[in-house]
Structures are given as C-alpha cells and as structure tokens.
Amino acid sequence: MFLFLSFIFPELKHKQNFFSMINDKLLNPGSIVIVGGSNNKHKPGGKLLENILKGNYTGKLYVLNPREDVVQGVRSYKEVNELPDTDLAFL
C-alpha cells in the first residue's frame, strides 16, 4: 500500500525514510539521556536510570542533573548545552 502511495505521491518517499529513521532511533537508540536522573531510585528519574542500567543497555548513556557530578555511576551533565548529540531523551 505504501509503495503504491509513494508512486502516486512521490513526496511520501522522503517521509518513509524519515519515519524509518525515527523508528530506528526510538527502538534502537545509540545514546540515551535521562533528564533529571537521580541517585534516589524511588524517584522516576532514578528508577528509569536503574532499569536501563540493569537492562544492560550497550549504547552511550548520559544524565542531566545540575546538582550531581555522577548519578548511579553515570557522568552527570549540569547544562543541556554540555550534552553530546543524543538519539533519545527521557524527560
């Protein structure tokens, strides 16, 4: 069906590439940032980070927390503009 539509509407072909890229970054991100990651595993940012670490995520993992230098063993950045390019952010 999509192939048929992209034949009739060639501009959809570029959208297919866009959606394919978005799906890949969501399902298989090479890097993740946890905004508000915490050492307190009872807070949402702390629990999320704990789950990612326990899940043996193999990509690059970053934390954004202005109050901490290291969160659960992961370097914490204090400012958004300090973060490296990242595929996926959890807010």
Side-chain angles (χ1 to χ4, degrees):
M1 175 74 169
F2 189 84
L3 182 60
F4 173 74
L5 288 175
S6 64
F7 179 73
I8 295 174
F9 302 103
E11 65 273 7
L12 287 178
K13 194 170 203 167
H14 300 291
K15 288 184 182 180
Q16 180 184 16
N17 292 336
F18 174 77
F19 289 121
S20 175
M21 179 195 69
I22 293 296
N23 285 336
D24 185 51
K25 298 293 184 185
L26 286 173
L27 299 175
N28 300 304
S31 56
I32 297 174
V33 61
I34 310 297
V35 176
S38 174
N39 283 310
N40 183 341
K41 297 175 184 176
H42 297 288
K43 291 184 174 182
K47 189 63 172 176
L48 177 60
L49 181 57
E50 178 187 37
N51 288 338
I52 290 171
L53 291 169
K54 283 183 176 179
N56 297 318
Y57 173 69
T58 58
K60 296 175 184 171
L61 187 58
Y62 309 110
V63 172
L64 181 67
N65 182 326
R67 296 184 197 109
E68 302 285 344
D69 292 324
V70 177
V71 176
Q72 296 185 45
V74 178
R75 178 183 173 191
S76 178
Y77 293 84
K78 298 188 183 303
E79 299 284 336
V80 173
N81 60 352
E82 295 174 354
L83 285 167
D85 287 342
T86 306
D87 292 337
L88 182 64
F90 286 101
L91 307 175

